[in-house]
Amino acid sequence: MVVRIRLACHGIRNRPFYHIVVANSKSPRDGKHIEKVGVYDPIPGSDGIKNIEWNVDRIKYWISCGAQPSDTVAKLLSRAGILPPLPKTW
C-alpha cells in the first residue's frame, strides 16, 4: 500500500479550502483518508498572509514510515522548512 500526503479539497466555488491528509494513493481525492495532518487556506486574509497549519510531528512520522508527499504538499513543506528545498527544474 502506497501512502501519500496530499490535499483534500473542501470549501465552495471560488473559495477553496484544503485539508492536508495522509491517504492511500488509490483512494479518491476527497475520499477516505488515514489521518488529517493540517489545513491550508490559499486565499490570503486581510493581512495578506495565507493560513497553513501543520501537525509537524505527525508529518515527520509519516514521512519516516515511507509516505510520499504530492508535488504541491512537497513544495509547501519545503517552504515551511520541514523538508529540504526542492531542486529547481528549468
Side-chain angles (χ1 to χ4, degrees):
M1 177 171 91
V2 178
V3 177
R4 304 275 300 186
I5 302 173
R6 62 184 182 193
L7 299 175
C9 187
H10 294 282
I12 58 174
R13 187 182 338 150
N14 298 326
R15 184 69 177 109
F17 185 82
Y18 300 98
H19 288 181
I20 302 165
V21 298
V22 178
N24 183 357
S25 63
K26 302 287 184 181
S27 66
R29 180 192 67 189
D30 299 332
K32 186 177 179 183
H33 60 271
I34 300 169
E35 183 178 359
K36 178 181 153 189
V37 293
V39 294
Y40 172 55
D41 187 3
I43 307 294
S46 59
D47 54 356
I49 299 175
K50 296 178 182 181
N51 183 28
I52 302 176
E53 297 175 14
W54 306 101
N55 188 343
V56 178
D57 295 333
R58 294 305 294 171
I59 291 173
K60 289 183 178 179
Y61 167 76
W62 280 108
I63 290 174
S64 70
C65 289
Q68 301 169 350
S70 66
D71 294 338
T72 306
V73 173
K75 187 186 310 181
L76 292 172
L77 290 172
S78 66
R79 286 185 183 173
I82 297 171
L83 288 180
L86 297 175
K88 293 184 179 180
T89 58
W90 299 96

